[in-house]
Amino acid sequence: MDFQNSLAFAKELDANDPLARYRDEFLYPQVNGKDVIYFTGNSLGLQPKRTKKYVDDVMKDWHELAVEGHFYAEKPWWDYHERLATDLAKVVGAKEKEISVMNTLTVNLHLLMVSFYRPEGKRIKILCEEKAFPSDQYMLQSQARFHGLDPNEVLVEVKKRKGEHFWRTEDILDKINEVGEELALVLMGGVNYYNGQVLDMKTITKAGKEVGAFVGWDLAHGVGNIALELHDWDVDFAAWCSYKYMNSGPGNASGIYVHEHYLGKKDIPRFEGWWGTKKETRFLMQPEFDPIETADAWQLSNPPILSIAPYLASLELFDEVGMEALIDKQKRIVAYLEFILGEIDKQVESTFEIITPKDRGCQLSVFLHGEGRSLFDYLMKNGVITDWREPNVIRLAPAPFYCSYTDMYNFGQILKEGILNK
Ligand SMILES: *Cc1c(COP(=O)(O)O)cnc(C)c1O
């Protein structure tokens, strides 16, 4: 499609956008009396309007039913989390029984590593990307030390090539084959938080498993953003947070996926608690753990209902729209943003370098050569919420649920003013 950098053109795209009406499902911060242009859905998604009712319902049930709410609330609390698994399974391409919702992301990755990182003999190594998200680095280092190993010997980082801003699949595969029999686990971010790159998870998973390693994915930036087929890709495990593209609220509950191959097993190492044992016998308070035949076996505690209620509200929206329609709009809106950046680039002296490769989801990371943090401050003051990373990289993530084509056009104009008026 031939794009135009004009308000009329952007408005026409909005008029033809089947998801345009979902903008009204969300609440926007205001700057100068106007809704902001929100590019940080990759960090904290906006609040869906319907979320409040879900939380209010739980508060009301707690008031009116108290302990009876576990069984007699309209959505009983004792299996409330299972409602989330149904919709999440569609979002990540898994079977319902392969999904659970619990804890938070880093906690869950640690718990999953109890099962899937079992260093033995010379098979001790973990493959990850260089400069992985800091929490993941701390997690991997501390896991190595927990097993009495030296993180420097355990962690194998795949580097980008000199002068390039992205990872090449062939370099990842070469590294997997090079480490070979010493590789215990591949654990990487499926969508990189910094450059927005989507890794070829299917190919990498296959290669990792072929050398006998377990393969897991941190999908913090992947879930609700890109097409995932975790089950068909034969991924062993994955975890994600729900507050980025999933719009479930700050620090909210994490989701996990465990391949059905590992379900219903008593002999897999795992940290266990009463919410992972079979429902039928749970309240008999027996001493022996009998794992539920779903990923809930990894669940330790009874879930915080007030926290997962917003997640359910958000998942309802995902279910209504479907990932296919979201991804369809995402591709268009990101392409339009890329076009706008190109047009503005021609009109100013600084140069924009998009460091996100073509394998991408919602995010464009842009190196603003010749600019500084003051540009970021200008954007914020003028109602454009972005994320700034040293050196001079802004991350722009126009989430298809609540960003419009007009937002992209207006952003271009504000960006141009910010650069020309400095
Ligand atoms: C956002 C993010 C996290 C956050 O972890 P929490 O445990 O939710 O604080 C972890 N890993 C990656 C790759 C992320 O992008």
Side-chain angles (χ1 to χ4, degrees):
M1 180 188 245
D2 285 335
F3 289 134
Q4 293 169 27
N5 182 23
S6 76
L7 185 57
F9 184 80
K11 283 192 164 164
E12 195 183 315
L13 289 178
D14 281 328
N16 292 314
D17 170 14
L19 300 194
R21 69 190 174 87
Y22 283 94
R23 264 177 82 76
D24 196 41
E25 289 274 353
F26 290 85
L27 295 163
Y28 300 79
Q30 305 284 304
V31 170
N32 307 330
K34 282 198 302 202
D35 290 354
V36 296
I37 297 172
Y38 198 71
F39 278 124
T40 43
N42 57 345
S43 185
L44 179 70
L46 291 180
Q47 182 184 144
K49 286 179 183 167
R50 63 179 75 182
T51 299
K52 190 165 183 306
K53 178 173 185 319
Y54 280 68
V55 176
D56 287 347
D57 284 350
V58 178
M59 294 298 281
K60 186 163 168 283
D61 288 337
W62 178 22
H63 168 188
E64 292 174 0
L65 300 168
V67 71
E68 299 277 270
H70 280 296
F71 296 103
Y72 301 111
E74 194 190 318
K75 298 187 181 95
W77 304 331
W78 85 299
D79 59 1
Y80 194 102
H81 61 280
E82 291 176 12
R83 295 163 193 269
L84 286 82
T86 315
D87 291 344
L88 260 175
K90 292 182 221 162
V91 173
V92 302
K95 297 188 177 183
E96 194 173 323
K97 64 179 173 185
E98 294 172 321
I99 302 294
S100 185
V101 174
M102 58 196 212
N103 312 310
T104 45
L105 174 55
T106 308
V107 173
N108 283 343
L109 286 171
H110 272 300
L111 289 174
L112 288 163
M113 285 184 76
V114 170
S115 303
F116 295 103
Y117 179 56
R118 298 183 244 154
E120 214 185 307
K122 63 177 184 173
R123 199 182 276 284
I124 62 167
K125 297 198 171 170
I126 304 172
L127 189 104
C128 62
E129 70 276 34
E130 71 170 331
K131 297 205 176 108
F133 192 83
S135 196
D136 295 24
Q137 293 187 46
Y138 308 147
M139 170 185 72
L140 297 176
Q141 291 162 12
S142 62
Q143 281 277 340
R145 285 195 301 269
F146 173 74
H147 286 282
L149 299 167
D150 176 358
N152 293 319
E153 277 173 34
V154 165
L155 299 182
V156 179
E157 295 187 348
V158 183
K159 308 219 179 307
K160 293 172 240 167
R161 293 189 188 179
K162 206 163 187 286
E164 291 186 347
H165 295 292
F166 61 95
W167 287 268
R168 289 176 181 251
T169 306
E170 70 243 50
D171 292 351
I172 299 173
L173 301 183
D174 283 351
K175 198 51 114 182
I176 287 173
N177 291 321
E178 186 190 311
V179 183
E181 287 180 0
E182 294 180 15
L183 192 59
L185 174 67
V186 176
L187 180 50
M188 306 175 99
V191 178
N192 186 258
Y193 80 99
Y194 186 80
N195 70 355
Q197 178 178 4
V198 178
L199 293 184
D200 183 348
M201 285 181 254
K202 183 179 175 185
T203 305
I204 295 167
T205 300
K206 186 161 176 284
K209 299 191 73 164
E210 268 168 15
V211 302
F214 287 117
V215 181
W217 295 97
D218 177 340
L219 294 174
H221 285 258
V223 71
N225 177 18
I226 60 163
L228 295 165
E229 294 294 340
L230 297 181
H231 178 86
D232 285 350
W233 297 340
D234 206 21
V235 170
D236 291 312
F237 70 97
W240 53 89
C241 48
S242 61
Y243 47 82
K244 293 174 179 170
Y245 293 108
M246 298 297 303
N247 311 320
S248 89
N252 212 348
S254 155
I256 67 160
Y257 152 92
V258 179
H259 193 281
E260 70 176 332
H261 181 68
Y262 306 104
L263 303 180
K265 295 218 158 97
K266 284 192 186 178
D267 57 354
I268 189 165
R270 175 172 52 211
F271 287 166
E272 295 170 343
W274 73 323
W275 233 252
T277 198
K278 283 218 172 90
K279 289 193 285 190
E280 300 77 46
T281 49
R282 180 179 303 152
F283 296 103
L284 299 179
M285 305 299 193
Q286 289 164 338
E288 201 196 329
F289 182 86
D290 194 6
I292 308 184
E293 315 241 334
T294 73
D296 283 344
W298 274 261
Q299 201 174 45
L300 304 183
S301 302
N302 77 104
I305 305 301
L306 280 168
S307 136
I308 62 177
Y311 200 176
L312 184 60
S314 160
L315 278 166
E316 206 184 77
L317 279 167
F318 274 87
D319 199 46
E320 213 173 286
V321 175
M323 283 309 295
E324 213 171 313
L326 276 170
I327 291 168
D328 195 51
K329 173 169 177 190
Q330 175 207 92
K331 287 196 190 323
R332 287 165 202 266
I333 201 163
V334 173
Y336 190 52
L337 174 61
E338 187 175 25
F339 165 80
I340 296 280
L341 284 164
E343 291 300 296
I344 304 301
D345 199 0
K346 289 180 206 156
Q347 300 170 24
V348 296
E349 270 178 24
S350 47
T351 43
F352 308 154
E353 181 191 0
I354 295 177
I355 62 171
T356 304
K358 289 290 172 203
D359 296 323
R360 67 195 184 190
C362 228
Q363 177 179 329
L364 289 182
S365 299
V366 191
F367 213 129
L368 298 170
H369 295 284
E371 294 304 323
R373 221 191 134 90
S374 58
L375 178 60
F376 166 75
D377 295 335
Y378 181 90
L379 292 173
M380 291 296 273
K381 263 195 220 111
N382 287 278
V384 181
I385 314 291
T386 70
D387 171 279
W388 185 272
R389 299 274 146 161
E390 295 299 337
N392 289 353
V393 169
I394 49 170
R395 299 188 299 167
L396 306 168
F401 254 129
Y402 47 74
C403 288
S404 67
Y405 296 93
T406 305
D407 282 345
M408 302 306 110
Y409 170 79
N410 287 335
F411 161 67
Q413 296 304 303
I414 298 169
L415 180 68
K416 185 168 81 178
E417 284 161 28
I419 293 173
L420 294 180
N421 297 340
K422 70 168 176 262

